[in-house]
PDB file of all heavy atoms in Angstrom:
ATOM      1  N   ARG A  23     128.555 103.257  83.335  1.00  0.00           N
ATOM      2  CA  ARG A  23     129.068 103.254  84.721  1.00  0.00           C
ATOM      3  C   ARG A  23     129.378 101.853  85.254  1.00  0.00           C
ATOM      4  O   ARG A  23     130.293 101.670  86.040  1.00  0.00           O
ATOM      5  CB  ARG A  23     128.020 103.936  85.614  1.00  0.00           C
ATOM      6  CG  ARG A  23     128.214 103.790  87.113  1.00  0.00           C
ATOM      7  CD  ARG A  23     129.439 104.508  87.609  1.00  0.00           C
ATOM      8  NE  ARG A  23     129.611 104.372  89.035  1.00  0.00           N
ATOM      9  CZ  ARG A  23     130.213 103.356  89.641  1.00  0.00           C
ATOM     10  NH1 ARG A  23     130.723 102.365  88.932  1.00  0.00           N
ATOM     11  NH2 ARG A  23     130.350 103.323  90.946  1.00  0.00           N
ATOM     12  N   PHE A  24     128.582 100.857  84.862  1.00  0.00           N
ATOM     13  CA  PHE A  24     128.725  99.516  85.459  1.00  0.00           C
ATOM     14  C   PHE A  24     129.169  98.500  84.422  1.00  0.00           C
ATOM     15  O   PHE A  24     128.881  98.663  83.235  1.00  0.00           O
ATOM     16  CB  PHE A  24     127.411  99.084  86.114  1.00  0.00           C
ATOM     17  CG  PHE A  24     126.937  99.970  87.208  1.00  0.00           C
ATOM     18  CD1 PHE A  24     125.878 100.845  87.021  1.00  0.00           C
ATOM     19  CD2 PHE A  24     127.591  99.975  88.432  1.00  0.00           C
ATOM     20  CE1 PHE A  24     125.442 101.679  88.032  1.00  0.00           C
ATOM     21  CE2 PHE A  24     127.165 100.813  89.450  1.00  0.00           C
ATOM     22  CZ  PHE A  24     126.089 101.677  89.239  1.00  0.00           C
ATOM     23  N   PRO A  25     129.812  97.423  84.859  1.00  0.00           N
ATOM     24  CA  PRO A  25     130.320  96.410  83.903  1.00  0.00           C
ATOM     25  C   PRO A  25     129.246  95.405  83.471  1.00  0.00           C
ATOM     26  O   PRO A  25     129.465  94.233  83.439  1.00  0.00           O
ATOM     27  CB  PRO A  25     131.427  95.726  84.704  1.00  0.00           C
ATOM     28  CG  PRO A  25     130.953  95.800  86.120  1.00  0.00           C
ATOM     29  CD  PRO A  25     130.262  97.129  86.213  1.00  0.00           C
ATOM     30  N   ALA A  26     128.084  95.926  83.125  1.00  0.00           N
ATOM     31  CA  ALA A  26     126.952  95.078  82.699  1.00  0.00           C
ATOM     32  C   ALA A  26     127.102  94.691  81.239  1.00  0.00           C
ATOM     33  O   ALA A  26     127.582  95.485  80.419  1.00  0.00           O
ATOM     34  CB  ALA A  26     125.656  95.799  82.948  1.00  0.00           C
ATOM     35  N   GLN A  27     126.649  93.497  80.918  1.00  0.00           N
ATOM     36  CA  GLN A  27     126.604  93.075  79.510  1.00  0.00           C
ATOM     37  C   GLN A  27     125.307  93.524  78.863  1.00  0.00           C
ATOM     38  O   GLN A  27     125.267  93.749  77.665  1.00  0.00           O
ATOM     39  CB  GLN A  27     126.710  91.535  79.399  1.00  0.00           C
ATOM     40  CG  GLN A  27     128.053  91.019  79.866  1.00  0.00           C
ATOM     41  CD  GLN A  27     129.194  91.660  79.124  1.00  0.00           C
ATOM     42  OE1 GLN A  27     129.223  91.713  77.882  1.00  0.00           O
ATOM     43  NE2 GLN A  27     130.149  92.228  79.865  1.00  0.00           N
ATOM     44  N   ARG A  28     124.278  93.696  79.713  1.00  0.00           N
ATOM     45  CA  ARG A  28     122.972  94.136  79.222  1.00  0.00           C
ATOM     46  C   ARG A  28     122.317  94.963  80.326  1.00  0.00           C
ATOM     47  O   ARG A  28     122.416  94.616  81.476  1.00  0.00           O
ATOM     48  CB  ARG A  28     122.097  92.930  78.901  1.00  0.00           C
ATOM     49  CG  ARG A  28     120.710  93.271  78.402  1.00  0.00           C
ATOM     50  CD  ARG A  28     119.830  92.025  78.239  1.00  0.00           C
ATOM     51  NE  ARG A  28     119.607  91.323  79.451  1.00  0.00           N
ATOM     52  CZ  ARG A  28     118.580  91.620  80.334  1.00  0.00           C
ATOM     53  NH1 ARG A  28     117.788  92.641  80.085  1.00  0.00           N
ATOM     54  NH2 ARG A  28     118.421  90.929  81.434  1.00  0.00           N
ATOM     55  N   VAL A  29     121.629  95.997  79.903  1.00  0.00           N
ATOM     56  CA  VAL A  29     120.800  96.762  80.855  1.00  0.00           C
ATOM     57  C   VAL A  29     119.404  96.934  80.246  1.00  0.00           C
ATOM     58  O   VAL A  29     119.264  97.034  79.013  1.00  0.00           O
ATOM     59  CB  VAL A  29     121.397  98.129  81.248  1.00  0.00           C
ATOM     60  CG1 VAL A  29     122.721  98.011  81.958  1.00  0.00           C
ATOM     61  CG2 VAL A  29     121.490  99.069  80.041  1.00  0.00           C
ATOM     62  N   ARG A  30     118.419  96.904  81.110  1.00  0.00           N
ATOM     63  CA  ARG A  30     117.037  97.125  80.671  1.00  0.00           C
ATOM     64  C   ARG A  30     116.419  98.098  81.670  1.00  0.00           C
ATOM     65  O   ARG A  30     116.512  97.915  82.888  1.00  0.00           O
ATOM     66  CB  ARG A  30     116.278  95.798  80.715  1.00  0.00           C
ATOM     67  CG  ARG A  30     114.871  95.876  80.210  1.00  0.00           C
ATOM     68  CD  ARG A  30     114.276  94.443  80.191  1.00  0.00           C
ATOM     69  NE  ARG A  30     112.935  94.456  79.609  1.00  0.00           N
ATOM     70  CZ  ARG A  30     111.828  94.600  80.304  1.00  0.00           C
ATOM     71  NH1 ARG A  30     111.877  94.776  81.617  1.00  0.00           N
ATOM     72  NH2 ARG A  30     110.668  94.617  79.719  1.00  0.00           N
ATOM     73  N   VAL A  31     115.790  99.171  81.144  1.00  0.00           N
ATOM     74  CA  VAL A  31     115.195 100.184  81.973  1.00  0.00           C
ATOM     75  C   VAL A  31     113.756 100.404  81.521  1.00  0.00           C
ATOM     76  O   VAL A  31     113.505 100.662  80.344  1.00  0.00           O
ATOM     77  CB  VAL A  31     115.993 101.532  81.874  1.00  0.00           C
ATOM     78  CG1 VAL A  31     115.288 102.594  82.707  1.00  0.00           C
ATOM     79  CG2 VAL A  31     117.421 101.335  82.312  1.00  0.00           C
ATOM     80  N   ARG A  32     112.859 100.304  82.486  1.00  0.00           N
ATOM     81  CA  ARG A  32     111.448 100.581  82.229  1.00  0.00           C
ATOM     82  C   ARG A  32     111.084 101.792  83.091  1.00  0.00           C
ATOM     83  O   ARG A  32     111.359 101.815  84.297  1.00  0.00           O
ATOM     84  CB  ARG A  32     110.601  99.389  82.638  1.00  0.00           C
ATOM     85  CG  ARG A  32     109.113  99.641  82.388  1.00  0.00           C
ATOM     86  CD  ARG A  32     108.344  98.357  82.757  1.00  0.00           C
ATOM     87  NE  ARG A  32     106.956  98.511  82.392  1.00  0.00           N
ATOM     88  CZ  ARG A  32     105.951  98.036  83.116  1.00  0.00           C
ATOM     89  NH1 ARG A  32     106.195  97.385  84.212  1.00  0.00           N
ATOM     90  NH2 ARG A  32     104.728  98.201  82.703  1.00  0.00           N
ATOM     91  N   VAL A  33     110.494 102.796  82.503  1.00  0.00           N
ATOM     92  CA  VAL A  33     110.029 103.987  83.256  1.00  0.00           C
ATOM     93  C   VAL A  33     108.514 104.043  83.136  1.00  0.00           C
ATOM     94  O   VAL A  33     107.950 103.989  82.045  1.00  0.00           O
ATOM     95  CB  VAL A  33     110.639 105.287  82.651  1.00  0.00           C
ATOM     96  CG1 VAL A  33     110.188 106.491  83.500  1.00  0.00           C
ATOM     97  CG2 VAL A  33     112.120 105.218  82.582  1.00  0.00           C
ATOM     98  N   ARG A  34     107.881 104.158  84.332  1.00  0.00           N
ATOM     99  CA  ARG A  34     106.428 104.280  84.374  1.00  0.00           C
ATOM    100  C   ARG A  34     106.044 105.617  84.898  1.00  0.00           C
ATOM    101  O   ARG A  34     106.705 106.154  85.774  1.00  0.00           O
ATOM    102  CB  ARG A  34     105.853 103.188  85.320  1.00  0.00           C
ATOM    103  CG  ARG A  34     105.966 101.795  84.731  1.00  0.00           C
ATOM    104  CD  ARG A  34     105.473 100.766  85.699  1.00  0.00           C
ATOM    105  NE  ARG A  34     106.542 100.474  86.677  1.00  0.00           N
ATOM    106  CZ  ARG A  34     106.326  99.970  87.878  1.00  0.00           C
ATOM    107  NH1 ARG A  34     105.100  99.720  88.315  1.00  0.00           N
ATOM    108  NH2 ARG A  34     107.356  99.732  88.663  1.00  0.00           N
ATOM    109  N   LYS A  35     104.974 106.163  84.340  1.00  0.00           N
ATOM    110  CA  LYS A  35     104.446 107.450  84.778  1.00  0.00           C
ATOM    111  C   LYS A  35     103.021 107.201  85.282  1.00  0.00           C
ATOM    112  O   LYS A  35     102.099 107.048  84.508  1.00  0.00           O
ATOM    113  CB  LYS A  35     104.449 108.435  83.592  1.00  0.00           C
ATOM    114  CG  LYS A  35     104.009 109.818  83.933  1.00  0.00           C
ATOM    115  CD  LYS A  35     104.158 110.700  82.698  1.00  0.00           C
ATOM    116  CE  LYS A  35     103.783 112.133  83.028  1.00  0.00           C
ATOM    117  NZ  LYS A  35     103.995 113.007  81.869  1.00  0.00           N
ATOM    118  N   PRO A  36     102.849 107.142  86.608  1.00  0.00           N
ATOM    119  CA  PRO A  36     101.546 106.834  87.152  1.00  0.00           C
ATOM    120  C   PRO A  36     100.506 107.944  87.111  1.00  0.00           C
ATOM    121  O   PRO A  36      99.309 107.661  87.133  1.00  0.00           O
ATOM    122  CB  PRO A  36     101.843 106.444  88.620  1.00  0.00           C
ATOM    123  CG  PRO A  36     103.160 107.030  88.920  1.00  0.00           C
ATOM    124  CD  PRO A  36     103.909 107.214  87.637  1.00  0.00           C
ATOM    125  N   ARG A  37     100.897 109.179  87.042  1.00  0.00           N
ATOM    126  CA  ARG A  37      99.928 110.299  87.066  1.00  0.00           C
ATOM    127  C   ARG A  37      99.722 110.906  85.677  1.00  0.00           C
ATOM    128  O   ARG A  37      99.716 112.133  85.513  1.00  0.00           O
ATOM    129  CB  ARG A  37     100.414 111.362  88.046  1.00  0.00           C
ATOM    130  CG  ARG A  37     100.366 110.925  89.480  1.00  0.00           C
ATOM    131  CD  ARG A  37     100.603 112.089  90.388  1.00  0.00           C
ATOM    132  NE  ARG A  37     100.803 111.604  91.757  1.00  0.00           N
ATOM    133  CZ  ARG A  37     101.402 112.316  92.693  1.00  0.00           C
ATOM    134  NH1 ARG A  37     101.851 113.511  92.437  1.00  0.00           N
ATOM    135  NH2 ARG A  37     101.562 111.805  93.899  1.00  0.00           N
ATOM    136  N   VAL A  38      99.569 110.050  84.717  1.00  0.00           N
ATOM    137  CA  VAL A  38      99.369 110.526  83.341  1.00  0.00           C
ATOM    138  C   VAL A  38      97.894 110.862  83.118  1.00  0.00           C
ATOM    139  O   VAL A  38      97.011 110.199  83.658  1.00  0.00           O
ATOM    140  CB  VAL A  38      99.892 109.491  82.334  1.00  0.00           C
ATOM    141  CG1 VAL A  38      99.085 108.217  82.382  1.00  0.00           C
ATOM    142  CG2 VAL A  38      99.927 110.067  80.939  1.00  0.00           C
ATOM    143  N   ARG A  39      97.637 111.879  82.355  1.00  0.00           N
ATOM    144  CA  ARG A  39      96.261 112.299  82.036  1.00  0.00           C
ATOM    145  C   ARG A  39      95.979 111.967  80.562  1.00  0.00           C
ATOM    146  O   ARG A  39      96.542 112.623  79.652  1.00  0.00           O
ATOM    147  CB  ARG A  39      96.087 113.777  82.268  1.00  0.00           C
ATOM    148  CG  ARG A  39      96.224 114.161  83.731  1.00  0.00           C
ATOM    149  CD  ARG A  39      95.999 115.627  83.927  1.00  0.00           C
ATOM    150  NE  ARG A  39      96.330 115.991  85.295  1.00  0.00           N
ATOM    151  CZ  ARG A  39      96.484 117.234  85.710  1.00  0.00           C
ATOM    152  NH1 ARG A  39      96.339 118.224  84.859  1.00  0.00           N
ATOM    153  NH2 ARG A  39      96.782 117.469  86.969  1.00  0.00           N
ATOM    154  N   LEU A  40      95.075 111.031  80.346  1.00  0.00           N
ATOM    155  CA  LEU A  40      94.735 110.626  78.993  1.00  0.00           C
ATOM    156  C   LEU A  40      93.254 110.888  78.676  1.00  0.00           C
ATOM    157  O   LEU A  40      92.809 110.587  77.591  1.00  0.00           O
ATOM    158  CB  LEU A  40      95.036 109.145  78.773  1.00  0.00           C
ATOM    159  CG  LEU A  40      96.491 108.721  78.922  1.00  0.00           C
ATOM    160  CD1 LEU A  40      96.658 107.236  78.694  1.00  0.00           C
ATOM    161  CD2 LEU A  40      97.404 109.497  77.957  1.00  0.00           C
ATOM    162  N   GLY A  41      92.515 111.380  79.648  1.00  0.00           N
ATOM    163  CA  GLY A  41      91.079 111.590  79.433  1.00  0.00           C
ATOM    164  C   GLY A  41      90.244 110.329  79.725  1.00  0.00           C
ATOM    165  O   GLY A  41      89.041 110.377  79.694  1.00  0.00           O
ATOM    166  N   LEU A  42      90.935 109.234  80.017  1.00  0.00           N
ATOM    167  CA  LEU A  42      90.302 107.977  80.425  1.00  0.00           C
ATOM    168  C   LEU A  42      91.122 107.408  81.558  1.00  0.00           C
ATOM    169  O   LEU A  42      92.333 107.700  81.700  1.00  0.00           O
ATOM    170  CB  LEU A  42      90.301 106.970  79.245  1.00  0.00           C
ATOM    171  CG  LEU A  42      89.418 107.348  78.060  1.00  0.00           C
ATOM    172  CD1 LEU A  42      89.707 106.438  76.890  1.00  0.00           C
ATOM    173  CD2 LEU A  42      87.952 107.253  78.453  1.00  0.00           C
ATOM    174  N   PRO A  43      90.511 106.577  82.409  1.00  0.00           N
ATOM    175  CA  PRO A  43      91.268 105.975  83.490  1.00  0.00           C
ATOM    176  C   PRO A  43      92.425 105.099  82.963  1.00  0.00           C
ATOM    177  O   PRO A  43      92.262 104.355  82.015  1.00  0.00           O
ATOM    178  CB  PRO A  43      90.248 105.104  84.222  1.00  0.00           C
ATOM    179  CG  PRO A  43      88.930 105.625  83.811  1.00  0.00           C
ATOM    180  CD  PRO A  43      89.103 106.204  82.428  1.00  0.00           C
ATOM    181  N   VAL A  44      93.581 105.266  83.619  1.00  0.00           N
ATOM    182  CA  VAL A  44      94.760 104.461  83.220  1.00  0.00           C
ATOM    183  C   VAL A  44      95.626 104.329  84.456  1.00  0.00           C
ATOM    184  O   VAL A  44      95.765 105.258  85.252  1.00  0.00           O
ATOM    185  CB  VAL A  44      95.525 105.126  82.038  1.00  0.00           C
ATOM    186  CG1 VAL A  44      96.068 106.465  82.418  1.00  0.00           C
ATOM    187  CG2 VAL A  44      96.631 104.217  81.534  1.00  0.00           C
ATOM    188  N   GLU A  45      96.232 103.169  84.641  1.00  0.00           N
ATOM    189  CA  GLU A  45      97.121 102.955  85.775  1.00  0.00           C
ATOM    190  C   GLU A  45      98.431 103.706  85.617  1.00  0.00           C
ATOM    191  O   GLU A  45      98.900 104.322  86.514  1.00  0.00           O
ATOM    192  CB  GLU A  45      97.397 101.451  85.913  1.00  0.00           C
ATOM    193  CG  GLU A  45      98.250 101.106  87.121  1.00  0.00           C
ATOM    194  CD  GLU A  45      98.443  99.622  87.243  1.00  0.00           C
ATOM    195  OE1 GLU A  45      97.474  98.913  87.444  1.00  0.00           O
ATOM    196  OE2 GLU A  45      99.611  99.187  87.165  1.00  0.00           O
ATOM    197  N   HIS A  46      99.014 103.591  84.437  1.00  0.00           N
ATOM    198  CA  HIS A  46     100.271 104.281  84.135  1.00  0.00           C
ATOM    199  C   HIS A  46     100.573 104.127  82.649  1.00  0.00           C
ATOM    200  O   HIS A  46      99.997 103.292  81.962  1.00  0.00           O
ATOM    201  CB  HIS A  46     101.447 103.727  84.970  1.00  0.00           C
ATOM    202  CG  HIS A  46     101.787 102.292  84.678  1.00  0.00           C
ATOM    203  ND1 HIS A  46     101.361 101.271  85.464  1.00  0.00           N
ATOM    204  CD2 HIS A  46     102.524 101.715  83.691  1.00  0.00           C
ATOM    205  CE1 HIS A  46     101.801 100.141  84.992  1.00  0.00           C
ATOM    206  NE2 HIS A  46     102.509 100.387  83.923  1.00  0.00           N
ATOM    207  N   THR A  47     101.498 104.935  82.177  1.00  0.00           N
ATOM    208  CA  THR A  47     102.114 104.702  80.860  1.00  0.00           C
ATOM    209  C   THR A  47     103.545 104.300  81.136  1.00  0.00           C
ATOM    210  O   THR A  47     104.091 104.544  82.208  1.00  0.00           O
ATOM    211  CB  THR A  47     102.064 105.967  79.993  1.00  0.00           C
ATOM    212  OG1 THR A  47     102.686 107.045  80.662  1.00  0.00           O
ATOM    213  CG2 THR A  47     100.627 106.339  79.634  1.00  0.00           C
ATOM    214  N   ALA A  48     104.195 103.663  80.138  1.00  0.00           N
ATOM    215  CA  ALA A  48     105.555 103.219  80.361  1.00  0.00           C
ATOM    216  C   ALA A  48     106.310 103.115  79.045  1.00  0.00           C
ATOM    217  O   ALA A  48     105.717 103.032  77.952  1.00  0.00           O
ATOM    218  CB  ALA A  48     105.519 101.823  81.032  1.00  0.00           C
ATOM    219  N   ALA A  49     107.624 103.171  79.160  1.00  0.00           N
ATOM    220  CA  ALA A  49     108.519 102.928  78.027  1.00  0.00           C
ATOM    221  C   ALA A  49     109.688 102.077  78.559  1.00  0.00           C
ATOM    222  O   ALA A  49     110.126 102.276  79.688  1.00  0.00           O
ATOM    223  CB  ALA A  49     109.016 104.217  77.432  1.00  0.00           C
TER     224      ALA A  49
END
């Protein structure tokens, strides 16, 4: 969509259930 030379996208999931306390997961 945009005339970018580079794009970087980080997605965080704050309500993830891992069985232990965690702030978020991300990719």
Side-chain angles (χ1 to χ4, degrees):
R23 169 66 180 86
F24 299 107
Q27 294 306 308
R28 179 185 65 85
V29 298
R30 184 175 184 269
V31 177
R32 181 178 187 218
V33 182
R34 290 177 278 157
K35 184 175 182 177
R37 292 190 191 159
V38 65
R39 294 182 188 166
L40 298 180
L42 293 169
V44 63
E45 183 178 298
H46 64 261
T47 56

